Amino acid sequence: MSDAERLLARLVAFDTTSSESNLALVRYVEDYLASHGVDAERVMSPCGNKANLIARIGPEAPGGVMLSGHTDVVPVAGQPWSSDPFTLRDGGDGRLYGRGTCDMKGFLACALAKVPEWVNAPLKQPVYLGFSYDEEIGCVGAPSLIKRFYEHYSTTAHVIVGEPTSMQPVVAQKGATNLRTTVVGREAHSSQVNQGTSAIHVAARLVTFIEDTMTALVEEGRVDEAFNVPHTSLHVGKIKGGTAINIMARECQFEWEIRHLPTETFDDIYARFETFCAELSAELQAKGKQVEITTEALNVTVPGLADRDNDRVIRLAKDHLPAGCCDHAVAYATEAGQFQGQGLQTIILGPGSIAQAHQPDEYVERSQLEACTAFLDNMTKALQSDATS
């Protein structure tokens, strides 16, 4: 078993589901780093039950590389796992099973496994580790980590966010915002539809508008073929409302998302929905119908990662990956756009496939850990020179 695999087994054993504290894992990483003479700084969550972690290996010098990853994982409840999800299992098929093996404790383990070598290497530029909390519920922890890093550590380091990309560089991602819309109408007997306002019927018109907005964006030519879904997507995932079939529903609530292209903004897309809500409310009220529509964001808007201002970090990646790697774009959200928003050159690159993330019997292929380790080995050589600056 490699050092990375041993560390992965330890990391997987911590239940860092986003609903739980990650402090036990943070303490373990702090102790591991301290055993190699590396200090780490916590950036605490407002509630005090979670923490980001920042560490520097090597000189206090310009440049270098920040290896960033999140410590939290998604829930396992209701999933048909073949074994304990918080015990690393070697399937004998070249795969290591466990919650977070792919997303994204495999990357954290590979990075931590290199610490002893980095400590003893003649680095001219530093390696930074940035481990965050609550990425899975909206990239909540990263902003405070990034602010602390930029203000007190480096304004010139390149950033590699180690989400699972099958060790292919990802240069663009969509932004994402989750929303909840609540419609309040007026109850009445269903035989007297002229006396009430069905919140469900109003919500249905809003849901239809959300899908129509996505179609309109495509018709306007707002597409980017680099993405497998080449346009901003809007999707309603949950809806509930009503109390009985013969009562006009007083309330209906639905949860939805906007995943916007990095060349667009949440505000621009959401403004269309907001305008339609105002027009629909006015139309209904003119007919004597009582209605109230409110929408709240369920997370901070996660910005997209744009394929720009990244030439040096892309060169760093491609110079130390096998020949033939090519740029990719992904629809899922990561912390990469937050780093870019701070002015840091950023890409996404890590072991494992996103197809295995969040699944029962999540796994990472051993060959992917080996590929990540090989990349970090090669990158170490660059940090012993001025090759990343």
Side-chain angles (χ1 to χ4, degrees), residues 42-53:
R42 292 187 185 188
V43 181
M44 298 300 299
S45 67
C47 68
N49 291 328
K50 300 180 182 182
N52 299 308
L53 201 65

Side-chain angles (χ1 to χ4, degrees), residues 218-270:
V218 175
E219 292 174 347
E220 292 167 14
R222 298 170 69 161
V223 299
D224 184 343
E225 296 295 344
F227 292 88
N228 65 339
V229 177
H231 54 81
T232 292
S233 61
L234 294 86
H235 167 254
V236 178
K238 293 174 62 178
I239 190 167
K240 63 179 180 179
T243 55
I245 194 171
N246 61 348
I247 301 175
M248 297 181 73
R250 179 182 181 276
E251 183 173 310
C252 184
Q253 187 177 86
F254 60 90
E255 295 180 9
W256 56 295
E257 66 175 17
I258 298 174
R259 292 183 181 269
H260 63 272
L261 293 174
T263 52
E264 298 180 341
T265 68
F266 162 78
D267 290 340
D268 178 44
I269 305 303
Y270 179 71

Side-chain angles (χ1 to χ4, degrees), residues 149-151 153-157 342-344:
F149 177 71
Y150 191 82
E151 293 178 352
Y153 288 86
S154 177
T155 61
T156 57
Q342 188 62 71
L344 298 167

Side-chain angles (χ1 to χ4, degrees), residues 8 25 36 46 51 55 140 167 174 186 191 207 236 240 287 310 344 360 366 378:
L8 180 57
L25 182 147
H36 295 289
V140 173
M167 290 307 295
K174 291 183 178 180
R186 182 178 179 182
S191 67
V207 171
V236 178
K240 63 179 180 179
K287 298 176 180 178
N310 55 14
L344 298 167
R366 182 176 277 111
N378 293 333

Side-chain angles (χ1 to χ4, degrees), residues 114-271:
K114 300 303 298 179
V115 168
E117 179 182 335
W118 289 331
V119 167
N120 294 307
L123 299 177
K124 292 186 178 181
Q125 298 176 71
V127 177
Y128 298 96
L129 302 179
F131 296 173
S132 65
Y133 67 87
D134 282 357
E135 187 271 351
E136 294 290 5
I137 57 173
C139 298
V140 173
S144 61
L145 180 153
I146 295 167
K147 184 176 187 292
R148 181 67 181 174
F149 177 71
Y150 191 82
E151 293 178 352
H152 295 274
Y153 288 86
S154 177
T155 61
T156 57
H158 304 330
V159 180
I160 296 175
V161 177
E163 292 279 2
T165 70
S166 300
M167 290 307 295
Q168 293 287 311
V170 167
V171 298
Q173 69 164 65
K174 291 183 178 180
T177 308
N178 298 330
L179 303 145
R180 178 188 294 127
T181 296
T182 302
V183 180
V184 178
R186 182 178 179 182
E187 288 177 319
H189 194 286
S190 62
S191 67
Q192 305 298 312
V193 294
N194 59 331
Q195 295 181 8
T197 306
S198 169
I200 289 177
H201 286 200
V202 176
R205 292 182 66 177
L206 296 176
V207 171
T208 299
F209 178 81
I210 287 170
E211 184 172 21
D212 290 345
T213 298
M214 182 166 58
T215 301
L217 292 170
V218 175
E219 292 174 347
E220 292 167 14
R222 298 170 69 161
V223 299
D224 184 343
E225 296 295 344
F227 292 88
N228 65 339
V229 177
H231 54 81
T232 292
S233 61
L234 294 86
H235 167 254
V236 178
K238 293 174 62 178
I239 190 167
K240 63 179 180 179
T243 55
I245 194 171
N246 61 348
I247 301 175
M248 297 181 73
R250 179 182 181 276
E251 183 173 310
C252 184
Q253 187 177 86
F254 60 90
E255 295 180 9
W256 56 295
E257 66 175 17
I258 298 174
R259 292 183 181 269
H260 63 272
L261 293 174
T263 52
E264 298 180 341
T265 68
F266 162 78
D267 290 340
D268 178 44
I269 305 303
Y270 179 71

